[in-house]
Every structure is written in C-alpha cells, then in structure tokens.
Amino acid sequence: MVPSQIARDALEQRGWSVFPLDPDKRPLPLGTSYPDGTPKRLGWKMHQTRCASLKEIQYWERRYAPQL
C-alpha cells in the first residue's frame, strides 16, 4: 500500500489527522528557500487543530508524490 492510500485510510476509517513529512519527519520542502538558504516548508499549524480533508490529501499526493 502506498503512503497516500495509508493516509486516506487513516482519515476515513480512523478519523486520524494526517500530514506529509519528509524522511527526517519534517514538513515537506516547497522547493523554494528563505534568503538565508533555509528551505520553505509546507505549513502544518492549521492541521494541529483540524484534520486534513480528502481533497488536501489528494492534492498532496499529486504535488509531492515523488517525495512521499
């Protein structure tokens, strides 16, 4: 089973909040950087208080599939 399917199952079957992380368990980089060279990362603060929607998970799957 691929990670995105696991995420969808966790949301739909268990009601768990899910969020994509990189191998270091940090939010995924967006592909751009701050002036000091630090990579900008996917925001996660809103997902501390609400679950991602199925549409968000599907978007993450399309946008970040190579990294998931």
Side-chain angles (χ1 to χ4, degrees):
M1 190 177 293
V2 295
S4 57
Q5 181 60 50
I6 294 168
R8 286 192 301 269
D9 289 349
L11 174 66
E12 293 173 341
Q13 296 175 11
R14 300 186 183 266
W16 290 353
S17 182
V18 296
F19 188 79
L21 301 174
D22 69 11
D24 294 326
K25 298 184 180 176
R26 296 174 57 188
L28 294 175
L30 297 174
T32 59
S33 299
Y34 291 103
D36 68 356
T38 305
K40 292 183 179 180
R41 296 189 174 272
L42 189 62
W44 58 275
K45 188 167 183 83
M46 72 179 99
H47 297 290
Q48 291 178 327
T49 57
R50 72 164 181 86
C51 289
S53 69
L54 184 56
K55 284 187 175 189
E56 286 173 304
I57 294 171
Q58 291 168 338
Y59 170 76
W60 293 333
E61 180 180 17
R62 287 190 310 273
R63 172 68 171 87
Y64 301 106
Q67 297 178 33
L68 292 178

